[in-house]
């Protein structure tokens, strides 16, 4: 029996991606808590008119569950105000302005079913990942809300010179939300990014943006990587270690991390978001080959 629930998504917007503005290639400087910090240097992107595409204008979006959880047929679809299916990856805006971003929950904290947006299916619903026809689970619970930034894409044809020349993993950018509340699959949260971890998974670059929901009681206390260490002590190390080690019980090698094995600061995280948003814009304009990816 399909169920429908209403979740708050985004305020109205007409832009599908971040307008280009002056960004800088950061230079390393020391930072408290063993994190990588970056100071501004002259690296400017040329301004261009922003690409526009259809995005959700209604401030609410519904999710509709089809099939039973923890089955191969289970899907969580997103519906606009008129009841039409939309893509959580392509149609929910990335940014709301003033440093606020939308985050779509795929995996609630303290759960282990490996849920993900089906990037190769029409309307990119959330489903449980499979391997050899079997549902996938993490070996233990993930301790944070986990999901994606809409309208971002890690381009598998682009090597990142700052992270060992690793190529993108062909997915939207992942978010680790550190707030205290366990969220629901398909929930759309307003977040602020705080840090970034450059995970390298079997040679592919898989960014983890550490963020916090604006409605969390501690949200006003944290604005950058140092604040996370101060108000959520040990969390950044725990996130890195969790993602480094979760494949080991299955007999696979540990994942690695670039950028000196340390979290980068907020400014660097915003740079990554900006770059992957640009990559997504090229993808939906078909300036690059989408392969098997669904663009609607």
């Amino acid at each position: 029996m399909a169920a429908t629930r209403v979740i708050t998504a985004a305020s109205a917007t007409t832009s599908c991606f971040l307008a280009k503005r002056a960004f800088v290639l950061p230079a390393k400087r020391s930072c408290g808590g063993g994190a990588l910090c970056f100071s501004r240097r002259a690296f400017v992107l040329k301004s261009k008119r922003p690409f526009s595409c259809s995005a959700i204008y209604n401030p609410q979006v519904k999710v509709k569950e089809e099939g039973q959880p923890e089955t191969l047929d289970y899907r969580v679809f997103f519906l606009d105000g008129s009841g039409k299916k939309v893509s959580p990856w392509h149609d929910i805006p990335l940014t709301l302005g003033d440093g606020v971003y939308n985050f779509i929950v795929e995996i609630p904290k303290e759960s282990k079913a490996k849920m993900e947006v089906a990037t190769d299916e029409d309307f990119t619903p959330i489903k449980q990942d499979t391997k050899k026809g079997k549902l996938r689970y993490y070996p233990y619970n993930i301790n944070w809300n986990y999901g994606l930034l809409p309208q971002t894409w890690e381009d598998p044809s682009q090597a990142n010179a700052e992270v060992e020349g690793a190529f993108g993993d062909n997915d939207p950018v992942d978010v680790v939300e550190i707030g205290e509340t366990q969220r629901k699959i398909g929930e759309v949260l307003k977040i602020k990014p705080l840090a970034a971890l450059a995970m390298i998974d079997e040679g592919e670059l898989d960014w983890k943006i550490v963020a916090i929901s604006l409605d969390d009681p501690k949200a006003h206390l944290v604005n950058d990587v140092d604040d996370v260490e101060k108000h959520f002590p040990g969390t950044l190390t725990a996130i890195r270690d969790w993602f480094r080690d979760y494949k080991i019980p299955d007999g696979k090698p540990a994942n690695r991390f670039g950028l000196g094995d340390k979290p980068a600061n907020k400014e660097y995280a915003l740079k990554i978001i900006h770059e992957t948003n640009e990559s997504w814009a090229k993808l939906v304009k078909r300036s690059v080959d989408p392969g098997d990816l669904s663009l609607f």
Side-chain angles (χ1 to χ4, degrees):
M1 191 77 176
T4 302
R5 52 190 168 90
V6 178
I7 54 176
T8 300
S11 57
T13 181
T14 59
S15 176
C16 279
F17 81 112
L18 298 172
K20 291 188 179 180
R21 61 182 186 274
F23 263 81
V24 292
L25 184 64
K28 295 179 184 178
R29 60 178 173 83
S30 62
C31 197
L36 279 182
C37 286
F38 297 85
S39 56
R40 292 186 180 273
R41 294 289 185 268
F43 169 62
V44 181
L45 295 173
K46 294 181 180 179
S47 295
K48 295 182 180 178
R49 292 179 61 85
F51 165 68
S52 295
C53 68
S54 62
I56 289 177
Y57 292 87
N58 194 308
Q60 285 192 327
V61 61
K62 299 177 182 179
V63 294
K64 181 181 180 182
E65 298 172 286
E66 296 187 2
Q68 294 299 316
E70 300 189 60
T71 67
L72 294 173
D73 296 329
Y74 181 67
R75 297 291 186 274
V76 178
F77 284 97
F78 288 67
L79 311 177
D80 66 12
S82 68
K84 294 180 180 179
K85 288 180 179 178
V86 295
S87 165
W89 182 18
H90 301 307
D91 294 322
I92 292 178
L94 169 62
T95 178
L96 301 173
D98 297 324
V100 179
Y101 295 82
N102 277 322
F103 157 58
I104 300 165
V105 179
E106 295 170 306
I107 306 174
K109 67 185 296 183
E110 305 308 333
S111 66
K112 62 180 183 178
K114 194 175 187 302
M115 309 299 295
E116 62 180 17
V117 162
T119 57
D120 59 349
E121 296 185 12
D122 293 351
F123 303 108
T124 63
I126 296 174
K127 69 172 186 177
Q128 189 166 351
D129 191 21
T130 60
K131 185 175 182 180
K132 297 180 179 180
K134 295 184 178 181
L135 297 171
R136 293 186 66 189
Y137 295 86
Y138 290 121
Y140 33 72
N141 286 352
I142 188 167
N143 306 126
W144 312 274
N145 296 302
Y146 188 58
L148 73 139
L149 286 174
Q151 300 184 343
T152 61
W153 179 55
E154 298 192 49
D155 187 345
S157 70
Q158 295 297 314
N160 190 309
E162 298 175 33
V163 189
E164 304 179 17
F167 291 84
D169 70 350
N170 203 33
D171 281 325
V173 171
D174 297 326
V175 172
V176 183
E177 194 276 319
I178 62 174
E180 67 178 20
T181 303
Q182 183 188 49
R183 305 295 182 159
K184 295 179 180 179
I185 297 173
E187 194 168 353
V188 182
L189 305 180
K190 297 176 182 178
I191 62 164
K192 54 179 172 180
L194 304 168
L197 287 161
M199 191 176 91
I200 303 170
D201 182 354
E202 298 182 10
E204 294 180 336
L205 181 55
D206 187 3
W207 288 105
K208 308 298 180 190
I209 301 298
V210 180
I212 192 166
S213 179
L214 295 187
D215 64 359
D216 189 83
K218 290 186 177 181
H220 68 288
L221 298 174
V222 287
N223 294 292
D224 213 323
V225 64
D226 288 344
D227 299 327
V228 179
E229 193 58 40
K230 179 179 179 181
H231 297 286
F232 294 83
T235 295
L236 291 169
T237 298
I239 292 171
R240 183 198 62 197
D241 292 353
W242 195 97
F243 283 100
R244 181 192 64 200
D245 297 339
Y246 78 89
K247 290 186 175 182
I248 293 176
D250 292 330
K252 294 185 176 181
N255 290 319
R256 299 185 296 110
F257 287 85
L259 302 179
D261 209 37
K262 298 176 181 177
N265 68 353
K266 179 174 183 172
E267 183 177 351
Y268 196 83
L270 294 178
K271 182 175 85 78
I272 296 306
I273 294 170
H274 178 82
E275 291 173 351
T276 55
N277 176 244
E278 287 188 323
S279 294
W280 170 85
K282 293 176 182 177
L283 175 69
V284 295
K285 287 191 295 183
R286 298 181 184 271
S287 298
V288 295
D289 183 7
D292 293 331
L293 297 175
S294 173
L295 300 185
F296 64 93

